[in-house]
């Protein structure tokens, strides 16, 4: 069934589809045209061209409560697209600088671990252009910017815990003056032994939190009884966020201890609370505003607070506006990354590949403090099952404390590492049994009845993996290509190919239930324009346009009439981070509730004052139908309501239902629903150098009923490529002193344009519809597609599996750099020659 | 106004003390410019043009991409460059174009901008201005033919119309490889590049009127600029910092002799980083880019000579025509368009980086380097006191030519005397029966610094190796010839036994190091394997050894 058909069947009566955001968004509704750019490249069927074209067709609707197709479920340009391309979109560093503003820089530890004996800043203070310099001693409030347990000092005190840890700060008239002054500080250290690896931390039982276990069934017994058994391990490297805009905050001091911060953060409320703590003022004295971020990916969830607090403190001490911006190298050295993981597994299975018992140990590098490592590692545990039913399983997680920067949230939040573990197990079983890994995967998929219980005892009731996989196998010609690839590898010594299909099942909700709440604030002005505010932040993911679509739909106005306003802690308080893919689910629903409140007030006004008929009252296209013969414009209705003293401002509040989780027993329903997808990737390896190219990717992903197909497709494609980088070229390298040596794009290689697969066919899962009552039955899309790239890693393993003897296990860690691939191939070759 | 040089500066010609360029269609005349102020700092802080972003301050991410327009004959040449590492005075005589300049006066977006909006090519938007400028340069360097123009918005609004327009654009748009090459220097962390590549094709659907209008306006402005005496030498002073842009070899030589501690600046793709990354203070800079005598590419008696200030972009064609696709591929993977537009072969050699990509193939091909200096150090000072008129009888400059392989002495140390500078690289006539291959290995295909680079020049006759020149990068403190390996190859039959011995011999040639790019063991193994690839490609017909040529399994 095509996407068009699925939409046609959903609605009944015709409604004219119109371009509603003027020329630029009218253009946006048009497809990315399918261009034939080379004879060998088939046209990209899954592109926006096809999907958006479907949305150009007449759509159908039957009831006022159903979304008007010209507003939601429609491909619309990012709310700032026009500003992006003209350079008018302002980021924090682009804001006009208040007169006298100071620039703040930090001096950092040259040791991975040391006692801090003294910090002497007199010479710094005396340097030209310097307005103030401060260390931990000058902090008026709490010296802490931790999002969790209070172990993240703003500036180091008594001890430094990683190389690059901020020790003191200087505020000067220019960045150059600040940088020159930094060198004048006299800081004395007494170096201590540092823990720099996961292995060393495990040996020393150095943890940021207690080890945690999750159990279902009896893994030990099942392992003992299993006909076949394999053990192995896998190292999975970390990942730098590499948002193009580095961390930045601008603090403007107000009266009576107040401060306003313009900050690039996913979590304005937490920044507000931590800044207030550092300054020793009430939360109400601090306002944080975020218009947009130049990318975040989790890296500006907990990691933005430190720089915001330093700017705020400098503003407090100088009485001037203060800007703290990290340059690329400082950003990479001083801010946390995706956790690297060491995985050990012991799996028992039968001759068909069905897993009978599994024991998995996950050990991660958390860095020097807890930060978000507890929930990150929990989420890794929650995703060790991925799409597979594991009846007898035990997962033990170690949260290792090391003398490296404190690792943090990153798109997927531990989930990708958990999935990598089980996908390695699936590949290992298949190689051992000498069968197609897909056979093993299918053998273990979640099913119905007794085969749908997760290791945390939640029932999987919305599983569509078998259907997605069936569809993807057909569209990708998996079986035929796999046969051709085996044949290719037999006939080619220096280039091998591999192909793999991997599934994704990703749990949607913050696993701490209380975080699943959101607020919105909507004003309607008397000219009919709508001011939209909610707790979610815009980092490029298209949240603002999605929520604007939802709001416009609820009020029956065009999206043009709805203005998304910068996120501001003074408008919607106590918000959760825009994280966990939850932005549109939570804030879309909160905005919808606020807009519904306003519409209902307007409805009541129309019924009471305009004699509207309740059964015919309808809001659409900026018009309000009162009965069979009469309609008025939205603006006129609003003006009338104002005259009648109807309040035109409303808040909306939403909390996700059905969630409960007992962490002690690792049991409950931590997720409202799951997002699903699957990908088939084909790679070619150069067995002389280990270089790898991704030749073709086919994927299908379930976004439910997409709020904005253009935005969702962008998340899928971008997420996949980010996952591809994580697993192939992005390698973090620390030297023996604990210094990060890959701290700029010259040494840290995120995917470039030519790393995009030659053929990349993306499709939404055609029957996608959220079985839970989410906003217009859409599904969260931010994180899940990243994990589709695990198919690339498995394809590399598949290509290597033809190098050695049949059944030989390629030893490949992530990222699969040319070096790792070549060394894995060499190991297999020498085994082969020895045999 | 042109004026005499300050008395202590030994300039051969009158020089200006102001930088002149065009920005936003207007003439900018800047005096008292700190010579190492970057174009990006200037744009963001002095002009408050904040559309251009800083992403890395090392020319690797492309967020700061701007376009420079220069007059070449009657045509305008547009080059995308990284403003974060380019020094402000090097703008002299050019047009600087930023993302703020692109919108038409009537409010329409430039095709590069409109196509990005249409194709959903921006998410967070921070890299977008850089992509806009790279697309702008792509469009103007591969212009669409004149078509009946349709206003962009109108053409995009109607589905069927778009199909027609996009069909027209297929024939117009450059190949995917060209597009990828044009965008290789711009990193995007959000989109996965697909929508941006689509936008690169779509912008060809908007016809030629806007691009042609642009070029016409640029040409007029640049002609006016040149008439305003923006040619000739430049001598700037700001505090204790000095910047010279001589226009003659003689002046260049005098300046180098007079300021032996000065840093020579060509493209600045390395020197720029000394300032932005190492925060070095460079007191005196002598810019080589305005000296026409360093800009030549010529072939005489089979010898190819490339001036030291020739950019990679300009050198690429003559080198690849002469030595084939491997060298072409290597040079196309060197840096990015932005880097190749500025970076020079002379600079790559002069700085002596162990991982520079051009020296190994040049060494294997037997290149020599021409160095030049002013004859007697003592006379340079007197020279400065002479009037410009008496420079006509300037003494002949001292030139010497040495083999490139002998130029690299040790890490960071080259055979270059104080006051001496690189004039040109010379490549001897390719011998008959030359088989040349070179291979670069890095973590990423495009714009990555080499882990190992192998260059192999073999003279093969009837399966025998008559002569072998082998050079590697990334294997030692300098780009280096593999003498032991060559000895194992020379005068031998080219067979697996010879290969094995030559591979073994590489262990006598090199003791590579371990760093973040690769381990010592990997480097050695790849060095050996690259020789094996060379063996396969010189002994088999159409061996399958190149993954970039592989297509997906049907």
């Amino acid at each position: 069934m095509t996407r068009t058909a699925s939409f046609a069947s959903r609605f009944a009566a015709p409604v004219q589809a119109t371009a509603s955001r003027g020329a630029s968004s009218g253009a946006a509704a048009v497809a990315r045209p399918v261009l034939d750019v080379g004879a060998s490249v088939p046209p990209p069927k899954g592109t926006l061209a096809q999907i958006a074209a479907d949305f150009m067709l007449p759509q159908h609707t039957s009831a006022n409560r159903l979304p008007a197709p010209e507003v939601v479920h429609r491909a619309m340009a990012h709310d700032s697209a026009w500003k992006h391309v003209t350079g008018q979109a302002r980021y924090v560093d682009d804001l006009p600088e208040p007169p006298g503003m100071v620039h703040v820089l930090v001096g950092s530890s040259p040791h991975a671990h040391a006692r801090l004996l003294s910090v002497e800043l007199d010479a710094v203070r005396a340097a030209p252009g310097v307005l103030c310099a401060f260390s931990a001693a000058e902090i008026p409030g709490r010296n802490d910017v931790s999002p969790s347990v209070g172990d993240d000092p703003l500036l180091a005190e008594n001890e430094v815990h990683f190389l690059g840890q901020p020790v003191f700060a200087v505020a000067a008239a220019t960045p150059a003056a600040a940088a020159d002054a930094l060198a004048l500080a006299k800081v004395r250290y007494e170096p201590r032994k540092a823990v720099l690896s996961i292995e060393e931390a495990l040996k020393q039982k150095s943890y940021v939190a207690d080890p945690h276990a999750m159990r279902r069934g009896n893994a030990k017994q099942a392992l003992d009884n299993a006909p076949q058994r394999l053990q192995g391990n896998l190292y999975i490297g970390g990942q730098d966020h590499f948002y193009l805009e580095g961390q930045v905050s601008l603090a403007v001091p107000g009266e009576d201890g107040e401060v306003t911060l313009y900050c690039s953060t996913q979590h304005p409320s937490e920044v507000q609370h931590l800044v207030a703590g550092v300054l020793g003022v009430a939360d109400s004295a601090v306002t944080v505003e975020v218009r947009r971020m130049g990318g975040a990916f989790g890296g500006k969830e907990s990691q933005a607070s430190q720089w915001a607090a330093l700017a705020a403190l400098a503003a407090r001490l100088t009485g001037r506006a203060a800007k703290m911006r990290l340059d690329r190298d400082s950003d990479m050295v001083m801010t946390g990354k995706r956790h690297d993981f060491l995985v050990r597994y012991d799996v028992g299975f039968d001759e068909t590949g069905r897993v009978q018992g599994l024991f998995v140990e996950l050990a991660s590098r958390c860095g020097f403090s807890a930060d978000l490592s507890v929930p990150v590692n929990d989420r890794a545990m929650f995703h060790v099952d991925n799409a597979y039913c594991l009846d007898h399983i035990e997962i033990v997680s170690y949260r290792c404390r090391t003398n490296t920067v404190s690792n943090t949230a990153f798109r997927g939040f531990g989930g990708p590492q958990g999935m990598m573990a089980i996908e390695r197990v699936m590949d290992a079983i298949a190689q051992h049994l000498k069968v197609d890994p897909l056979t093993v995967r299918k053998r273990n998929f979640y099913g119905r009845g007794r085969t749908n219980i997760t290791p945390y005892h939640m029932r999987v009731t919305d599983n569509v993996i078998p259907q997605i996989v069936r569809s993807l196998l057909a569209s990708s010609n998996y079986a035929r290509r796999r046969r051709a690839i085996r044949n290719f590898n037999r006939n080619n010594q220096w280039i091998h190919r591999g192909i793999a299909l991997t599934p994704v099942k990703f749990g949607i909700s913050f696993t701490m239930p209380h975080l699943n709440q959101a607020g919105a604030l909507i004003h309607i002005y008397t000219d009919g324009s709508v001011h939209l505010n909610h707790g979610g932040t815009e980092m490029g993911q298209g949240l603002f346009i999605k929520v604007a679509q939802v709001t416009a739909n609820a009020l029956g106005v065009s999206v043009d009439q709805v203005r998304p306003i910068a996120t501001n802690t003074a408008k919607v308080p106590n918000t959760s981070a825009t994280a966990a893919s939850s932005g549109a689910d939570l804030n879309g629903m909160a905005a919808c509730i606020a807009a519904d409140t306003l519409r209902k007030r307007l409805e009541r006004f129309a019924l009471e004052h305009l004699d509207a008929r309740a059964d015919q009252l309808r809001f659409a296209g900026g018009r309000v139908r009162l009965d069979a013969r009469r309609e008025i414009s939205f603006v006129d209705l609003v003006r009338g309501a104002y005259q009648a003293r109807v309040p035109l401002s409303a808040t909306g509040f939403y909390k996700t239902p059905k969630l409960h989780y007992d962490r002690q027993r690792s049991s409950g329903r931590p997720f409202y629903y799951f997002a699903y997808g699957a990908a088939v990737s084909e790679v070619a390896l150069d067995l002389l150098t280990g270089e790898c190219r991704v030749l073709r990717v086919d994927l299908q992903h379930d976004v439910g009923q997409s709020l904005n197909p253009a935005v969702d497709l962008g998340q899928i494609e971008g997420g996949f490529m980010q996952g591809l980088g994580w697993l192939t070229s992005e390698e973090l390298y620390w030297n023996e002193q604990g210094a990060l040596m890959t701290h700029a794009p010259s040494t840290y290689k995120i995917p470039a344009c030519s790393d995009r697969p030659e053929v990349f066919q993306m499709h939404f899962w055609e029957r996608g519809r959220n079985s839970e009552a989410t906003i217009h039955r859409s599904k969260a899309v931010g994180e899940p597609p990243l994990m589709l790239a695990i198919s690339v890693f498995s394809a590399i393993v598949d290509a290597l599996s033809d190098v050695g003897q049949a059944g030989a296990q390629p030893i490949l860690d992530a990222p699969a750099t040319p070096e790792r691939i070549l060394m894995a191939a060499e190991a297999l070759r020498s085994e082969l020659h020895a045999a | 106004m042109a004026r005499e040089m300050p008395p202590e500066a030994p300039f051969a010609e009158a020089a200006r003390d102001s930088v002149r360029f065009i920005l936003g269609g207007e003439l900018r005349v800047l005096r008292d410019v700190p010579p190492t102020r970057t174009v990006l700092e200037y744009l963001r802080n002095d002009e408050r043009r904040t559309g251009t972003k800083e992403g890395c301050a090392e020319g690797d991410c492309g967020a700061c991409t701007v376009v420079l327009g220069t007059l070449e004959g009657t045509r305008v040449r547009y080059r995308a460059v990284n403003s974060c590492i380019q020094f402000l005075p090097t703008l002299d005589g050019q047009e600087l174009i930023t993302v703020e300049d692109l919108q038409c006066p009537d409010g329409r977006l430039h095709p590069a901008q409109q196509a990005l909006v249409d194709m959903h090519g921006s998410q967070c938007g921070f890299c977008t201005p850089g992509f806009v400028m790279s697309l702008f340069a792509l469009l103007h360097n591969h212009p669409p033919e004149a078509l009946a123009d349709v206003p962009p918005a109108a053409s995009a609004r109607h589905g069927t119309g778009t199909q027609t327009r996009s069909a027209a654009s297929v024939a117009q748009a450059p190949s995917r490889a060209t597009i990828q090459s044009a965008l290789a220097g711009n990193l995007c962390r959000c989109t996965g590049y697909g929508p941006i590549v689509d936008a690169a094709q779509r912008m060809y659907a908007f016809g030629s009127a806007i691009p042609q209008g642009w070029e016409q306006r640029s040409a007029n402005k640049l002609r006016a600029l040149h008439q305003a005496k923006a040619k000739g030498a430049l001598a700037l002073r700001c505090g204790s910092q000095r910047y010279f842009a001589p226009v003659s070899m003689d002046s260049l030589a005098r300046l180098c002799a007079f300021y032996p501690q000065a840093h020579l600046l060509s493209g600045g793709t390395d020197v720029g980083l000394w300032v932005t990354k190492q925060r070095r203070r460079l007191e005196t800079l002598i810019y080589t880019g305005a000296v026409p005598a360093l800009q030549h590419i010529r072939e005489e008696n089979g010898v190819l000579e490339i001036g030291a200030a020739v950019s990679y972009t300009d050198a690429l064609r003559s080198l690849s025509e002469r030595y084939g696709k491997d060298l072409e591929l290597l040079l196309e993977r060197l840096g990015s368009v932005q880097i190749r537009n500025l970076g020079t072969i002379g600079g790559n050699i002069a700085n002596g980086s162990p991982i520079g990509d051009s020296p190994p193939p040049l060494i294997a091909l037997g290149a020599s380097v021409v160095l030049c200096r002013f004859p007697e150090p003592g006379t340079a000072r007197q020279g400065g006191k002479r009037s410009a008129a008496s420079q006509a009888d300037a003494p002949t400059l001292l030139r010497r030519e040495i083999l490139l392989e002998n130029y690299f002495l040790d890490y960071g140390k080259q055979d270059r005397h104080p006051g001496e500078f690189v004039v040109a690289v010379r490549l001897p006539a390719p011998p008959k029966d030359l088989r040349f291959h070179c291979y670069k290995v890095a973590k990423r295909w495009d714009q990555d610094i080499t882990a190992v680079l192998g260059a192999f020049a073999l003279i093969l006759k009837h399966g025998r190796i008559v002569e072998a020149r082998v050079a590697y990068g990334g294997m030692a403190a300098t780009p280096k010839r593999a003498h032991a390996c060559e000895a194992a190859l020379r005068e031998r039959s080219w067979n697996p036994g010879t290969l094995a011995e030559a591979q073994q011999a590489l262990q006598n040639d090199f003791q590579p190091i371990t760093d973040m790019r690769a381990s010592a063991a990997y480097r050695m193994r790849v060095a050996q394997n690259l020789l094996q690839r060379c063996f396969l490609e010189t002994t088999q017909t159409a061996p399958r050894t190149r993954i970039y040529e592989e297509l997906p399994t049907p």
Side-chain angles (χ1 to χ4, degrees), chain B residues 165-179:
Chain B
R165 299 302 305 172
S166 61
S169 74
V170 173
Q172 300 268 316
S175 70
R176 180 174 157 138
T178 303
I179 291 169

Side-chain angles (χ1 to χ4, degrees), chain B residues 229-275:
Chain B
K229 301 189 175 162
K231 278 191 166 172
L234 196 58
L236 307 174
R237 198 167 175 174
C238 184
S240 62
Q241 284 185 296
R242 287 186 175 82
Y243 175 94
F244 301 105
V247 294
S248 71
M249 282 279 278
D250 187 61
S251 288
L252 176 61
R254 283 171 193 276
L255 285 162
C256 289
F258 189 74
Y259 297 106
Q261 303 306 314
H263 294 284
L264 264 68
L265 178 71
S266 288
T269 55
D270 193 13
V271 176
L273 272 64
W274 301 355
V275 173

